[in-house]
Amino acid sequence: MPRLRSMFIVCFSCACLSGSAFAETLEEAEKNILAKWQKHSSLKSNVKMQMKMEMPNGGKVTTDGVGTFEWMRSGDLALHRMELKSKMVTNVRDQQMAMEQEIVSVSDGVTSTTLTSGMGRRAAMKDRVDVSQPTSTDTLFGATREHFDYALLPDQEVDGAAAYVIEATPKKPLPRLPAKKVIYYLSKGSGAIVGLAWLDDKGEQINRFEFTDIKLDEKIDPARFQLQIPEGVQVMDRTAAASRPAGGGRKPAASAPASNP
């Protein structure tokens, strides 16, 4: 009996030591992720979005959307295009209102332009790329990192494949990011962002994106990253008024890594 107990203790100790020896640090995970991601020049995927928000008057707003996402390297820039069809449902007391929208967002790596269509109206807005909401792995570990503290969480399975999980906590409140924490899911096979979630101060999910059916390194027409604004639609240009965010200049993709999103 004593011998069996001793063997159990030895085996258990070896297992613990072996596990700790192979556990990755954040720095090791980042190195592995970037080494894989930087081999890729483009990405196409389907995207699914879900957002939940509580209103001060007790009402609730939920938005569900589906669409496509495209990303491509162009020199030291990261271009992307996202197309979403969404339905927003607002519930206040006993009343419910639903609104459907179509959103096209295109970025040339420096500025982004978004065209929104819904309820018979169309509106367009142009702004500087917001590095607090990266669309690729390059930016996540590059310009975005200036504004967040990162932590490596246990791996998870996403869409049937292993993924790294990175928790990002803003160092200070960010005007365009209502979340208190952002969780990024990155493919262990390709380094691409395969999902992300915004969490509120209670740890509850308020926004989530999932990227599926990912295709890497397929040719994408550069014209896809040019948004044609319909005649008669005025563009609200906020690029002149907005100050350029730190690290958000001409190299959002080349520092250190918007996944796919």
Side-chain angles (χ1 to χ4, degrees):
M1 246 342 244
R3 177 176 297 180
L4 288 175
R5 184 163 53 247
S6 298
M7 289 177 63
F8 173 80
I9 293 173
V10 170
C11 291
F12 179 77
S13 300
C14 289
C16 291
L17 289 172
S18 175
S20 61
F22 287 100
E24 284 183 286
T25 65
L26 174 62
E27 291 72 20
E28 291 170 336
E30 177 182 341
K31 183 178 179 180
N32 289 335
I33 292 167
L34 286 172
K36 293 178 179 179
W37 175 245
Q38 290 174 346
K39 295 177 182 178
H40 303 298
S41 59
S42 70
L43 176 149
K44 295 180 181 179
S45 76
N46 291 329
V47 59
K48 180 180 178 181
M49 180 269 286
Q50 184 178 65
M51 182 171 63
K52 299 179 180 180
M53 182 176 65
E54 293 189 3
M55 303 169 64
N57 61 3
K60 294 183 178 181
V61 179
T62 60
T63 304
D64 292 279
V66 294
T68 59
F69 179 81
E70 296 166 272
W71 175 93
M72 185 175 74
R73 295 186 191 277
S74 178
D76 59 2
L77 297 177
L79 318 182
H80 79 258
R81 180 187 184 99
M82 183 182 290
E83 299 184 17
L84 277 175
K85 290 185 177 181
S86 66
K87 182 177 182 180
M88 182 174 67
V89 179
T90 304
N91 289 281
V92 180
R93 298 184 180 87
D94 297 328
Q95 297 183 339
Q96 184 181 88
M97 181 178 69
M99 180 176 69
E100 295 185 353
Q101 285 188 327
E102 293 188 13
I103 301 171
V104 181
S105 181
V106 173
S107 173
D108 62 4
V110 178
T111 63
S112 62
T113 304
T114 301
L115 176 65
T116 305
S117 305
M119 299 183 70
R121 299 180 180 180
R122 290 187 290 192
M125 181 178 295
K126 184 177 182 180
D127 213 334
R128 292 193 181 279
V129 168
D130 182 5
V131 297
S132 71
Q133 299 182 38
T135 57
S136 79
T137 304
D138 298 285
T139 311
L140 176 63
F141 289 112
T144 303
R145 193 164 197 161
E146 296 181 30
H147 306 283
F148 293 85
D149 291 318
Y150 288 174
L152 180 65
L153 303 185
D155 294 351
Q156 290 190 27
E157 189 172 286
V158 177
D159 198 27
Y164 287 105
V165 183
I166 304 290
E167 178 187 77
T169 304
K171 294 180 180 179
K172 61 181 181 180
L174 297 171
R176 300 186 192 177
L177 185 70
K180 298 300 181 181
K181 290 182 184 294
V182 183
I183 308 298
Y184 293 95
Y185 303 87
L186 299 104
S187 167
K188 299 193 80 169
S190 67
I193 298 175
V194 294
L196 63 93
W198 291 3
L199 307 181
D200 63 14
D201 54 359
K202 299 177 183 177
E204 296 182 358
Q205 183 176 292
I206 57 176
N207 200 359
R208 183 178 183 87
F209 281 87
E210 297 176 4
F211 301 89
T212 59
D213 301 320
I214 293 174
K215 298 178 176 62
L216 297 166
D217 302 318
E218 289 191 356
K219 186 176 180 180
I220 302 177
D221 185 348
R224 293 287 294 163
F225 306 102
Q226 300 172 8
L227 183 58
Q228 301 298 319
I229 303 299
E231 185 177 352
V233 177
Q234 292 187 337
V235 179
M236 182 183 295
D237 192 336
R238 305 199 308 179
T239 57
S243 59
R244 178 169 297 181
R250 294 290 299 178
K251 296 186 178 182
S255 54
S259 140
N260 94 354

